């Protein structure tokens, strides 16, 4: 690569440390919640020489679910706060498409992601408008999962925090219904993660701006249009 080609790219600090920390804590806890939740919903039969009451493996599965749930929930609250005080790429305005420009970008990204069109127009350096909107829906699903999860937990606990969610049970028409909704939403996250990983790697490839590693170091690489035009 020549010196001029190198100069075509600028480094942009996109994801601040709190966003990156949030992302990985969230990724780890959601993965643990899916695995442990799946086992709670579909317990496997383990054959041991000792009696059921002498084993504690299912208690450990539930313990993992609840510890992950608390970390997941408070981490989520920090991200909500950071949407008000973080840098321009972390703010809520990226997630809720209120501007015409954002809807245009949603159309453009749909063509790229579904029809595999060439990304002829430059995409936002932060989340593109479609990604931002999908993350917003994901945040709503996180809120739903927290409400239903702590409501289920309140039946096991006398402590102050879960007791704040007891009202959710009658709203849904009972424990069974809450548990079923909580189960159904797990599938939203499984599908989200599969598509998310595919799109992160796909956009990394087609945009060539360091999408994947940006969630590790925080940097993306932006073409300097003026320089590019003068060199074309
Ligand atoms: C992405 C987040 C989460 C996922 C994917 C998830 C998934 C699941 C699943 C699949 C079940 C089994 C439901 C069934 O089929 O019976 C479950 C149970 C449960 N979850 Fe979650 N969950 C999440 C977050 C939470 C949170 C934030 C809490 C809050 C404490 C929580 C508390 C519970 C409780 C109390 C149960 C019932 C446990 C039992 O009766 O043994 N979950 N979860
Ligand atoms: C190896 C695994 C993963 C990689 C490499 C990865 C990478 C990324 C990258 C690069 C972005 C920013 C994309 C953009 O430019 O718009 C992002 C955002 C995001 N990812 Fe992941 N991700 C991974 C796993 C997960 C998992 C398991 C979840 C769990 C649900 C998740 C949830 C999210 C969310 C909610 C955002 C929006 C972040 C924010 O602005 O707060 N990711 N991810």
């Amino acid at each position: 690569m020549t010196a001029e080609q190198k100069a075509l790219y600028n480094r942009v600090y996109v994801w601040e440390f709190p966003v990156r920390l949030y992302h990985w804590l969230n990724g780890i806890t959601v993965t643990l919640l899916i695995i442990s939740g799946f086992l709670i919903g579909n317990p496997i039969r383990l054959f041991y020489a000792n009696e059921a009451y002498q084993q504690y493996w299912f208690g450990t599965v539930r313990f993992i679910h609840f510890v992950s749930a608390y970390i997941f929930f408070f981490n989520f609250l920090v991200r909500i706060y950071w949407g008000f005080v973080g840098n321009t790429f972390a703010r809520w305005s990226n997630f809720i498409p209120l501007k015409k420009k954002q809807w245009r970008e949603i159309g453009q990204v749909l063509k790229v992601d579904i029809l595999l069109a060439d990304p002829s127009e430059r995409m936002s350096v932060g989340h593109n408008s479609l990604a931002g909107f999908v993350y917003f829906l994901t945040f709503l699903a996180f809120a739903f999962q927290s409400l239903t999860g702590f409501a289920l937990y309140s039946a096991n606990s006398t402590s102050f925090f879960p007791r704040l969610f007891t009202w959710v049970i009658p709203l849904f028409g009972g424990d069974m219904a809450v548990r079923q909704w909580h189960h159904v939403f797990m599938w939203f996250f499984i599908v989200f993660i599969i598509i998310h990983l595919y799109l992160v790697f796909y956009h990394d490839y087609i945009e060539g701006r360091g999408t994947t590693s940006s969630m590790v170091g925080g940097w993306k690489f932006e073409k300097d249009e003026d320089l590019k035009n003068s060199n074309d």
Side-chain angles (χ1 to χ4, degrees), residues 30 33-34 37-38 40-41 58 62 65-66 69-70 72-73 142 145-146 149-150 152-153 156 179 182-183 186 189:
V30 171
L33 284 161
I34 290 173
F38 194 90
I40 294 169
F58 201 74
R62 294 178 78 224
H65 198 78
F66 304 147
Y70 269 93
F72 159 84
F73 180 73
F142 285 153
Q145 208 64 343
S146 306
F150 279 108
L152 288 172
Y153 192 65
N156 299 322
R179 211 172 155 159
H182 194 73
H183 186 115
M186 170 184 67
F189 294 108

PDB file of all heavy atoms in Angstrom, residues 30 33-34 37-38 40-41 58 62 65-66 69-70 72-73 142 145-146 149-150 152-153 156 179 182-183 186 189, ligand 1:
ATOM      1  N   VAL A  30     -26.204 -12.386  27.985  1.00  0.00           N
ATOM      2  CA  VAL A  30     -27.343 -12.871  27.181  1.00  0.00           C
ATOM      3  C   VAL A  30     -27.082 -14.313  26.738  1.00  0.00           C
ATOM      4  O   VAL A  30     -27.981 -15.153  26.778  1.00  0.00           O
ATOM      5  CB  VAL A  30     -27.638 -11.930  25.981  1.00  0.00           C
ATOM      6  CG1 VAL A  30     -28.653 -12.553  25.037  1.00  0.00           C
ATOM      7  CG2 VAL A  30     -28.137 -10.582  26.463  1.00  0.00           C
ATOM      8  N   LEU A  33     -27.730 -16.434  29.692  1.00  0.00           N
ATOM      9  CA  LEU A  33     -29.170 -16.473  29.983  1.00  0.00           C
ATOM     10  C   LEU A  33     -29.902 -17.397  29.021  1.00  0.00           C
ATOM     11  O   LEU A  33     -30.830 -18.111  29.400  1.00  0.00           O
ATOM     12  CB  LEU A  33     -29.762 -15.056  29.912  1.00  0.00           C
ATOM     13  CG  LEU A  33     -29.438 -14.166  31.118  1.00  0.00           C
ATOM     14  CD1 LEU A  33     -29.644 -12.702  30.797  1.00  0.00           C
ATOM     15  CD2 LEU A  33     -30.290 -14.571  32.313  1.00  0.00           C
ATOM     16  N   ILE A  34     -29.452 -17.401  27.746  1.00  0.00           N
ATOM     17  CA  ILE A  34     -30.097 -18.282  26.761  1.00  0.00           C
ATOM     18  C   ILE A  34     -29.810 -19.747  27.098  1.00  0.00           C
ATOM     19  O   ILE A  34     -30.719 -20.576  27.142  1.00  0.00           O
ATOM     20  CB  ILE A  34     -29.622 -17.941  25.325  1.00  0.00           C
ATOM     21  CG1 ILE A  34     -30.192 -16.591  24.907  1.00  0.00           C
ATOM     22  CG2 ILE A  34     -30.032 -19.026  24.332  1.00  0.00           C
ATOM     23  CD1 ILE A  34     -29.660 -16.074  23.586  1.00  0.00           C
ATOM     24  N   GLY A  37     -31.494 -20.532  30.487  1.00  0.00           N
ATOM     25  CA  GLY A  37     -32.952 -20.442  30.319  1.00  0.00           C
ATOM     26  C   GLY A  37     -33.474 -21.626  29.523  1.00  0.00           C
ATOM     27  O   GLY A  37     -34.509 -22.211  29.852  1.00  0.00           O
ATOM     28  N   PHE A  38     -32.731 -21.993  28.470  1.00  0.00           N
ATOM     29  CA  PHE A  38     -33.139 -23.135  27.646  1.00  0.00           C
ATOM     30  C   PHE A  38     -33.205 -24.400  28.505  1.00  0.00           C
ATOM     31  O   PHE A  38     -34.140 -25.198  28.407  1.00  0.00           O
ATOM     32  CB  PHE A  38     -32.135 -23.319  26.502  1.00  0.00           C
ATOM     33  CG  PHE A  38     -32.630 -24.233  25.426  1.00  0.00           C
ATOM     34  CD1 PHE A  38     -33.342 -23.733  24.351  1.00  0.00           C
ATOM     35  CD2 PHE A  38     -32.403 -25.598  25.494  1.00  0.00           C
ATOM     36  CE1 PHE A  38     -33.825 -24.576  23.364  1.00  0.00           C
ATOM     37  CE2 PHE A  38     -32.880 -26.450  24.513  1.00  0.00           C
ATOM     38  CZ  PHE A  38     -33.595 -25.933  23.446  1.00  0.00           C
ATOM     39  N   ILE A  40     -33.646 -24.490  31.762  1.00  0.00           N
ATOM     40  CA  ILE A  40     -34.749 -24.393  32.730  1.00  0.00           C
ATOM     41  C   ILE A  40     -36.067 -24.794  32.042  1.00  0.00           C
ATOM     42  O   ILE A  40     -36.896 -25.507  32.601  1.00  0.00           O
ATOM     43  CB  ILE A  40     -34.850 -22.953  33.312  1.00  0.00           C
ATOM     44  CG1 ILE A  40     -33.610 -22.617  34.142  1.00  0.00           C
ATOM     45  CG2 ILE A  40     -36.107 -22.801  34.158  1.00  0.00           C
ATOM     46  CD1 ILE A  40     -33.499 -21.143  34.542  1.00  0.00           C
ATOM     47  N   GLY A  41     -36.221 -24.356  30.800  1.00  0.00           N
ATOM     48  CA  GLY A  41     -37.448 -24.657  30.053  1.00  0.00           C
ATOM     49  C   GLY A  41     -37.516 -26.100  29.575  1.00  0.00           C
ATOM     50  O   GLY A  41     -38.600 -26.674  29.449  1.00  0.00           O
ATOM     51  N   PHE A  58     -29.477 -28.567  38.983  1.00  0.00           N
ATOM     52  CA  PHE A  58     -30.498 -27.662  38.447  1.00  0.00           C
ATOM     53  C   PHE A  58     -30.483 -26.327  39.220  1.00  0.00           C
ATOM     54  O   PHE A  58     -30.717 -25.260  38.660  1.00  0.00           O
ATOM     55  CB  PHE A  58     -31.885 -28.318  38.541  1.00  0.00           C
ATOM     56  CG  PHE A  58     -32.862 -27.702  37.586  1.00  0.00           C
ATOM     57  CD1 PHE A  58     -32.776 -27.960  36.222  1.00  0.00           C
ATOM     58  CD2 PHE A  58     -33.852 -26.846  38.032  1.00  0.00           C
ATOM     59  CE1 PHE A  58     -33.656 -27.364  35.325  1.00  0.00           C
ATOM     60  CE2 PHE A  58     -34.740 -26.259  37.147  1.00  0.00           C
ATOM     61  CZ  PHE A  58     -34.644 -26.516  35.791  1.00  0.00           C
ATOM     62  N   ARG A  62     -30.052 -22.560  37.643  1.00  0.00           N
ATOM     63  CA  ARG A  62     -30.896 -21.410  37.992  1.00  0.00           C
ATOM     64  C   ARG A  62     -30.043 -20.279  38.575  1.00  0.00           C
ATOM     65  O   ARG A  62     -30.255 -19.109  38.276  1.00  0.00           O
ATOM     66  CB  ARG A  62     -31.989 -21.817  38.974  1.00  0.00           C
ATOM     67  CG  ARG A  62     -32.993 -22.787  38.341  1.00  0.00           C
ATOM     68  CD  ARG A  62     -34.040 -23.205  39.353  1.00  0.00           C
ATOM     69  NE  ARG A  62     -35.052 -22.183  39.561  1.00  0.00           N
ATOM     70  CZ  ARG A  62     -35.523 -21.825  40.757  1.00  0.00           C
ATOM     71  NH1 ARG A  62     -35.050 -22.377  41.839  1.00  0.00           N
ATOM     72  NH2 ARG A  62     -36.450 -20.901  40.849  1.00  0.00           N
ATOM     73  N   HIS A  65     -28.498 -18.417  35.877  1.00  0.00           N
ATOM     74  CA  HIS A  65     -29.506 -17.565  35.227  1.00  0.00           C
ATOM     75  C   HIS A  65     -29.715 -16.272  36.041  1.00  0.00           C
ATOM     76  O   HIS A  65     -29.741 -15.179  35.480  1.00  0.00           O
ATOM     77  CB  HIS A  65     -30.819 -18.341  35.094  1.00  0.00           C
ATOM     78  CG  HIS A  65     -31.764 -17.759  34.082  1.00  0.00           C
ATOM     79  ND1 HIS A  65     -31.610 -17.947  32.730  1.00  0.00           N
ATOM     80  CD2 HIS A  65     -32.861 -16.978  34.212  1.00  0.00           C
ATOM     81  CE1 HIS A  65     -32.581 -17.327  32.073  1.00  0.00           C
ATOM     82  NE2 HIS A  65     -33.354 -16.718  32.959  1.00  0.00           N
ATOM     83  N   PHE A  66     -29.816 -16.418  37.358  1.00  0.00           N
ATOM     84  CA  PHE A  66     -30.159 -15.235  38.161  1.00  0.00           C
ATOM     85  C   PHE A  66     -28.972 -14.281  38.316  1.00  0.00           C
ATOM     86  O   PHE A  66     -29.160 -13.058  38.281  1.00  0.00           O
ATOM     87  CB  PHE A  66     -30.703 -15.656  39.544  1.00  0.00           C
ATOM     88  CG  PHE A  66     -31.889 -16.589  39.447  1.00  0.00           C
ATOM     89  CD1 PHE A  66     -32.114 -17.581  40.385  1.00  0.00           C
ATOM     90  CD2 PHE A  66     -32.783 -16.478  38.388  1.00  0.00           C
ATOM     91  CE1 PHE A  66     -33.200 -18.441  40.265  1.00  0.00           C
ATOM     92  CE2 PHE A  66     -33.877 -17.341  38.260  1.00  0.00           C
ATOM     93  CZ  PHE A  66     -34.080 -18.319  39.206  1.00  0.00           C
ATOM     94  N   ALA A  69     -28.691 -12.537  35.165  1.00  0.00           N
ATOM     95  CA  ALA A  69     -29.831 -11.625  35.001  1.00  0.00           C
ATOM     96  C   ALA A  69     -29.571 -10.281  35.699  1.00  0.00           C
ATOM     97  O   ALA A  69     -29.836  -9.219  35.124  1.00  0.00           O
ATOM     98  CB  ALA A  69     -31.097 -12.260  35.576  1.00  0.00           C
ATOM     99  N   TYR A  70     -29.013 -10.338  36.916  1.00  0.00           N
ATOM    100  CA  TYR A  70     -28.744  -9.085  37.631  1.00  0.00           C
ATOM    101  C   TYR A  70     -27.679  -8.260  36.899  1.00  0.00           C
ATOM    102  O   TYR A  70     -27.830  -7.045  36.743  1.00  0.00           O
ATOM    103  CB  TYR A  70     -28.303  -9.367  39.078  1.00  0.00           C
ATOM    104  CG  TYR A  70     -29.473  -9.407  40.048  1.00  0.00           C
ATOM    105  CD1 TYR A  70     -30.098 -10.605  40.368  1.00  0.00           C
ATOM    106  CD2 TYR A  70     -29.952  -8.238  40.637  1.00  0.00           C
ATOM    107  CE1 TYR A  70     -31.178 -10.643  41.244  1.00  0.00           C
ATOM    108  CE2 TYR A  70     -31.029  -8.267  41.523  1.00  0.00           C
ATOM    109  CZ  TYR A  70     -31.634  -9.468  41.818  1.00  0.00           C
ATOM    110  OH  TYR A  70     -32.696  -9.488  42.682  1.00  0.00           O
ATOM    111  N   PHE A  72     -26.861  -8.432  33.718  1.00  0.00           N
ATOM    112  CA  PHE A  72     -27.491  -8.005  32.458  1.00  0.00           C
ATOM    113  C   PHE A  72     -28.363  -6.762  32.695  1.00  0.00           C
ATOM    114  O   PHE A  72     -28.289  -5.783  31.964  1.00  0.00           O
ATOM    115  CB  PHE A  72     -28.327  -9.181  31.927  1.00  0.00           C
ATOM    116  CG  PHE A  72     -29.413  -8.817  30.957  1.00  0.00           C
ATOM    117  CD1 PHE A  72     -29.121  -8.657  29.612  1.00  0.00           C
ATOM    118  CD2 PHE A  72     -30.727  -8.662  31.380  1.00  0.00           C
ATOM    119  CE1 PHE A  72     -30.124  -8.335  28.702  1.00  0.00           C
ATOM    120  CE2 PHE A  72     -31.728  -8.343  30.486  1.00  0.00           C
ATOM    121  CZ  PHE A  72     -31.427  -8.173  29.141  1.00  0.00           C
ATOM    122  N   PHE A  73     -29.174  -6.788  33.756  1.00  0.00           N
ATOM    123  CA  PHE A  73     -30.135  -5.708  33.984  1.00  0.00           C
ATOM    124  C   PHE A  73     -29.434  -4.388  34.333  1.00  0.00           C
ATOM    125  O   PHE A  73     -29.716  -3.347  33.732  1.00  0.00           O
ATOM    126  CB  PHE A  73     -31.110  -6.114  35.096  1.00  0.00           C
ATOM    127  CG  PHE A  73     -32.133  -5.050  35.377  1.00  0.00           C
ATOM    128  CD1 PHE A  73     -33.161  -4.812  34.480  1.00  0.00           C
ATOM    129  CD2 PHE A  73     -32.050  -4.269  36.522  1.00  0.00           C
ATOM    130  CE1 PHE A  73     -34.104  -3.821  34.718  1.00  0.00           C
ATOM    131  CE2 PHE A  73     -32.985  -3.268  36.772  1.00  0.00           C
ATOM    132  CZ  PHE A  73     -34.017  -3.048  35.871  1.00  0.00           C
ATOM    133  N   PHE A 142     -35.124  -6.357  25.572  1.00  0.00           N
ATOM    134  CA  PHE A 142     -34.381  -6.475  26.839  1.00  0.00           C
ATOM    135  C   PHE A 142     -35.274  -6.021  28.001  1.00  0.00           C
ATOM    136  O   PHE A 142     -35.304  -6.635  29.061  1.00  0.00           O
ATOM    137  CB  PHE A 142     -33.129  -5.579  26.838  1.00  0.00           C
ATOM    138  CG  PHE A 142     -31.989  -6.097  25.996  1.00  0.00           C
ATOM    139  CD1 PHE A 142     -31.067  -5.200  25.449  1.00  0.00           C
ATOM    140  CD2 PHE A 142     -31.812  -7.446  25.765  1.00  0.00           C
ATOM    141  CE1 PHE A 142     -30.008  -5.650  24.679  1.00  0.00           C
ATOM    142  CE2 PHE A 142     -30.748  -7.914  24.994  1.00  0.00           C
ATOM    143  CZ  PHE A 142     -29.844  -7.001  24.448  1.00  0.00           C
ATOM    144  N   GLN A 145     -37.914  -8.627  28.688  1.00  0.00           N
ATOM    145  CA  GLN A 145     -37.341  -9.812  29.323  1.00  0.00           C
ATOM    146  C   GLN A 145     -37.008  -9.519  30.794  1.00  0.00           C
ATOM    147  O   GLN A 145     -37.127 -10.389  31.643  1.00  0.00           O
ATOM    148  CB  GLN A 145     -36.088 -10.226  28.533  1.00  0.00           C
ATOM    149  CG  GLN A 145     -35.749 -11.678  28.567  1.00  0.00           C
ATOM    150  CD  GLN A 145     -36.801 -12.581  27.920  1.00  0.00           C
ATOM    151  OE1 GLN A 145     -37.947 -12.179  27.708  1.00  0.00           O
ATOM    152  NE2 GLN A 145     -36.445 -13.802  27.650  1.00  0.00           N
ATOM    153  N   SER A 146     -36.600  -8.282  31.085  1.00  0.00           N
ATOM    154  CA  SER A 146     -36.291  -7.903  32.470  1.00  0.00           C
ATOM    155  C   SER A 146     -37.585  -7.861  33.289  1.00  0.00           C
ATOM    156  O   SER A 146     -37.635  -8.352  34.423  1.00  0.00           O
ATOM    157  CB  SER A 146     -35.617  -6.532  32.525  1.00  0.00           C
ATOM    158  OG  SER A 146     -34.487  -6.520  31.692  1.00  0.00           O
ATOM    159  N   GLY A 149     -38.864 -11.449  33.648  1.00  0.00           N
ATOM    160  CA  GLY A 149     -37.908 -12.241  34.438  1.00  0.00           C
ATOM    161  C   GLY A 149     -37.985 -11.889  35.913  1.00  0.00           C
ATOM    162  O   GLY A 149     -38.104 -12.779  36.763  1.00  0.00           O
ATOM    163  N   PHE A 150     -37.949 -10.594  36.236  1.00  0.00           N
ATOM    164  CA  PHE A 150     -38.003 -10.221  37.659  1.00  0.00           C
ATOM    165  C   PHE A 150     -39.382 -10.518  38.262  1.00  0.00           C
ATOM    166  O   PHE A 150     -39.489 -10.798  39.450  1.00  0.00           O
ATOM    167  CB  PHE A 150     -37.594  -8.760  37.873  1.00  0.00           C
ATOM    168  CG  PHE A 150     -36.099  -8.606  37.895  1.00  0.00           C
ATOM    169  CD1 PHE A 150     -35.423  -8.019  36.847  1.00  0.00           C
ATOM    170  CD2 PHE A 150     -35.356  -9.099  38.967  1.00  0.00           C
ATOM    171  CE1 PHE A 150     -34.039  -7.920  36.852  1.00  0.00           C
ATOM    172  CE2 PHE A 150     -33.966  -8.995  38.985  1.00  0.00           C
ATOM    173  CZ  PHE A 150     -33.308  -8.408  37.922  1.00  0.00           C
ATOM    174  N   LEU A 152     -41.152 -13.196  37.495  1.00  0.00           N
ATOM    175  CA  LEU A 152     -41.078 -14.622  37.845  1.00  0.00           C
ATOM    176  C   LEU A 152     -40.228 -14.807  39.096  1.00  0.00           C
ATOM    177  O   LEU A 152     -40.547 -15.607  39.970  1.00  0.00           O
ATOM    178  CB  LEU A 152     -40.449 -15.423  36.694  1.00  0.00           C
ATOM    179  CG  LEU A 152     -41.283 -15.635  35.442  1.00  0.00           C
ATOM    180  CD1 LEU A 152     -40.421 -16.264  34.342  1.00  0.00           C
ATOM    181  CD2 LEU A 152     -42.476 -16.532  35.743  1.00  0.00           C
ATOM    182  N   TYR A 153     -39.153 -14.020  39.174  1.00  0.00           N
ATOM    183  CA  TYR A 153     -38.218 -14.157  40.292  1.00  0.00           C
ATOM    184  C   TYR A 153     -38.860 -13.709  41.610  1.00  0.00           C
ATOM    185  O   TYR A 153     -38.504 -14.209  42.675  1.00  0.00           O
ATOM    186  CB  TYR A 153     -36.959 -13.337  39.994  1.00  0.00           C
ATOM    187  CG  TYR A 153     -35.806 -13.624  40.918  1.00  0.00           C
ATOM    188  CD1 TYR A 153     -35.200 -14.878  40.920  1.00  0.00           C
ATOM    189  CD2 TYR A 153     -35.313 -12.650  41.779  1.00  0.00           C
ATOM    190  CE1 TYR A 153     -34.149 -15.151  41.758  1.00  0.00           C
ATOM    191  CE2 TYR A 153     -34.254 -12.914  42.627  1.00  0.00           C
ATOM    192  CZ  TYR A 153     -33.670 -14.168  42.614  1.00  0.00           C
ATOM    193  OH  TYR A 153     -32.622 -14.443  43.442  1.00  0.00           O
ATOM    194  N   ASN A 156     -39.898 -16.171  44.141  1.00  0.00           N
ATOM    195  CA  ASN A 156     -38.857 -16.891  44.897  1.00  0.00           C
ATOM    196  C   ASN A 156     -38.196 -16.025  45.945  1.00  0.00           C
ATOM    197  O   ASN A 156     -37.324 -16.500  46.646  1.00  0.00           O
ATOM    198  CB  ASN A 156     -37.677 -17.282  43.985  1.00  0.00           C
ATOM    199  CG  ASN A 156     -38.077 -18.195  42.872  1.00  0.00           C
ATOM    200  OD1 ASN A 156     -38.891 -19.057  43.081  1.00  0.00           O
ATOM    201  ND2 ASN A 156     -37.488 -17.994  41.707  1.00  0.00           N
ATOM    202  N   ARG A 179     -44.296 -16.884  32.085  1.00  0.00           N
ATOM    203  CA  ARG A 179     -43.193 -17.787  31.777  1.00  0.00           C
ATOM    204  C   ARG A 179     -43.160 -18.126  30.291  1.00  0.00           C
ATOM    205  O   ARG A 179     -42.090 -18.209  29.673  1.00  0.00           O
ATOM    206  CB  ARG A 179     -43.364 -19.054  32.611  1.00  0.00           C
ATOM    207  CG  ARG A 179     -42.032 -19.644  32.933  1.00  0.00           C
ATOM    208  CD  ARG A 179     -42.105 -20.762  33.898  1.00  0.00           C
ATOM    209  NE  ARG A 179     -40.921 -21.586  33.670  1.00  0.00           N
ATOM    210  CZ  ARG A 179     -40.435 -22.406  34.543  1.00  0.00           C
ATOM    211  NH1 ARG A 179     -41.007 -22.530  35.712  1.00  0.00           N
ATOM    212  NH2 ARG A 179     -39.365 -23.119  34.259  1.00  0.00           N
ATOM    213  N   HIS A 182     -41.802 -15.148  28.449  1.00  0.00           N
ATOM    214  CA  HIS A 182     -40.365 -15.058  28.745  1.00  0.00           C
ATOM    215  C   HIS A 182     -39.608 -16.085  27.888  1.00  0.00           C
ATOM    216  O   HIS A 182     -38.529 -15.808  27.374  1.00  0.00           O
ATOM    217  CB  HIS A 182     -40.177 -15.341  30.239  1.00  0.00           C
ATOM    218  CG  HIS A 182     -38.837 -14.984  30.788  1.00  0.00           C
ATOM    219  ND1 HIS A 182     -38.427 -13.687  31.009  1.00  0.00           N
ATOM    220  CD2 HIS A 182     -37.792 -15.768  31.197  1.00  0.00           C
ATOM    221  CE1 HIS A 182     -37.203 -13.701  31.515  1.00  0.00           C
ATOM    222  NE2 HIS A 182     -36.787 -14.942  31.630  1.00  0.00           N
ATOM    223  N   HIS A 183     -40.219 -17.232  27.710  1.00  0.00           N
ATOM    224  CA  HIS A 183     -39.608 -18.281  26.886  1.00  0.00           C
ATOM    225  C   HIS A 183     -39.590 -17.879  25.403  1.00  0.00           C
ATOM    226  O   HIS A 183     -38.564 -17.984  24.727  1.00  0.00           O
ATOM    227  CB  HIS A 183     -40.395 -19.593  27.062  1.00  0.00           C
ATOM    228  CG  HIS A 183     -39.754 -20.754  26.362  1.00  0.00           C
ATOM    229  ND1 HIS A 183     -39.239 -21.830  27.035  1.00  0.00           N
ATOM    230  CD2 HIS A 183     -39.520 -20.996  25.046  1.00  0.00           C
ATOM    231  CE1 HIS A 183     -38.716 -22.675  26.171  1.00  0.00           C
ATOM    232  NE2 HIS A 183     -38.887 -22.198  24.953  1.00  0.00           N
ATOM    233  N   MET A 186     -36.907 -15.543  24.302  1.00  0.00           N
ATOM    234  CA  MET A 186     -35.555 -16.102  24.163  1.00  0.00           C
ATOM    235  C   MET A 186     -35.237 -16.313  22.678  1.00  0.00           C
ATOM    236  O   MET A 186     -34.115 -16.068  22.231  1.00  0.00           O
ATOM    237  CB  MET A 186     -35.457 -17.439  24.892  1.00  0.00           C
ATOM    238  CG  MET A 186     -34.159 -18.183  24.572  1.00  0.00           C
ATOM    239  SD  MET A 186     -34.082 -19.815  25.324  1.00  0.00           S
ATOM    240  CE  MET A 186     -35.367 -20.688  24.453  1.00  0.00           C
ATOM    241  N   PHE A 189     -33.831 -13.429  20.791  1.00  0.00           N
ATOM    242  CA  PHE A 189     -32.392 -13.179  20.968  1.00  0.00           C
ATOM    243  C   PHE A 189     -31.542 -14.173  20.190  1.00  0.00           C
ATOM    244  O   PHE A 189     -30.490 -13.809  19.670  1.00  0.00           O
ATOM    245  CB  PHE A 189     -32.023 -13.192  22.451  1.00  0.00           C
ATOM    246  CG  PHE A 189     -32.650 -12.050  23.175  1.00  0.00           C
ATOM    247  CD1 PHE A 189     -33.703 -12.251  24.047  1.00  0.00           C
ATOM    248  CD2 PHE A 189     -32.237 -10.745  22.927  1.00  0.00           C
ATOM    249  CE1 PHE A 189     -34.320 -11.188  24.673  1.00  0.00           C
ATOM    250  CE2 PHE A 189     -32.848  -9.675  23.547  1.00  0.00           C
ATOM    251  CZ  PHE A 189     -33.899  -9.897  24.424  1.00  0.00           C
TER     252      PHE A 189
HETATM  253  C1  LIG B   1     -32.044 -12.163  27.427  1.00  0.00           C
HETATM  254  C2  LIG B   1     -32.464 -12.407  28.633  1.00  0.00           C
HETATM  255  C3  LIG B   1     -33.153 -13.677  29.118  1.00  0.00           C
HETATM  256  C4  LIG B   1     -33.426 -14.856  28.478  1.00  0.00           C
HETATM  257  C5  LIG B   1     -33.090 -15.226  27.036  1.00  0.00           C
HETATM  258  C6  LIG B   1     -34.124 -15.720  29.423  1.00  0.00           C
HETATM  259  C7  LIG B   1     -34.594 -16.989  29.148  1.00  0.00           C
HETATM  260  C8  LIG B   1     -35.328 -17.784  30.011  1.00  0.00           C
HETATM  261  C9  LIG B   1     -35.983 -19.026  29.671  1.00  0.00           C
HETATM  262  C10 LIG B   1     -35.983 -19.672  28.280  1.00  0.00           C
HETATM  263  C11 LIG B   1     -36.587 -19.532  30.789  1.00  0.00           C
HETATM  264  C12 LIG B   1     -37.373 -20.825  30.900  1.00  0.00           C
HETATM  265  C13 LIG B   1     -38.852 -20.528  30.666  1.00  0.00           C
HETATM  266  C14 LIG B   1     -39.645 -21.811  30.527  1.00  0.00           C
HETATM  267  O1  LIG B   1     -39.649 -22.376  29.441  1.00  0.00           O
HETATM  268  O2  LIG B   1     -40.222 -22.266  31.517  1.00  0.00           O
HETATM  269  C15 LIG B   1     -36.314 -18.596  31.864  1.00  0.00           C
HETATM  270  C16 LIG B   1     -36.757 -18.741  33.164  1.00  0.00           C
HETATM  271  C17 LIG B   1     -36.610 -17.783  34.132  1.00  0.00           C
HETATM  272  N1  LIG B   1     -35.956 -16.555  33.998  1.00  0.00           N
HETATM  273 FE1  LIG B   1     -35.077 -15.832  32.332  1.00  0.00          FE
HETATM  274  N2  LIG B   1     -34.233 -15.058  30.620  1.00  0.00           N
HETATM  275  C18 LIG B   1     -33.666 -13.800  30.475  1.00  0.00           C
HETATM  276  C19 LIG B   1     -33.596 -12.804  31.425  1.00  0.00           C
HETATM  277  C20 LIG B   1     -34.036 -12.930  32.722  1.00  0.00           C
HETATM  278  C21 LIG B   1     -33.990 -11.895  33.710  1.00  0.00           C
HETATM  279  C22 LIG B   1     -33.436 -10.463  33.496  1.00  0.00           C
HETATM  280  C23 LIG B   1     -34.505 -12.412  34.858  1.00  0.00           C
HETATM  281  C24 LIG B   1     -34.604 -11.680  36.181  1.00  0.00           C
HETATM  282  C25 LIG B   1     -34.343 -12.188  37.325  1.00  0.00           C
HETATM  283  C26 LIG B   1     -34.905 -13.782  34.600  1.00  0.00           C
HETATM  284  C27 LIG B   1     -35.509 -14.657  35.497  1.00  0.00           C
HETATM  285  C28 LIG B   1     -36.046 -15.895  35.210  1.00  0.00           C
HETATM  286  C29 LIG B   1     -36.781 -16.730  36.162  1.00  0.00           C
HETATM  287  C30 LIG B   1     -37.102 -16.368  37.618  1.00  0.00           C
HETATM  288  C31 LIG B   1     -37.132 -17.899  35.494  1.00  0.00           C
HETATM  289  C32 LIG B   1     -37.910 -19.088  36.058  1.00  0.00           C
HETATM  290  C33 LIG B   1     -36.914 -20.007  36.725  1.00  0.00           C
HETATM  291  C34 LIG B   1     -37.559 -21.224  37.352  1.00  0.00           C
HETATM  292  O3  LIG B   1     -38.777 -21.255  37.541  1.00  0.00           O
HETATM  293  O4  LIG B   1     -36.789 -22.184  37.675  1.00  0.00           O
HETATM  294  N3  LIG B   1     -34.615 -14.066  33.280  1.00  0.00           N
HETATM  295  N4  LIG B   1     -35.561 -17.542  31.372  1.00  0.00           N
END
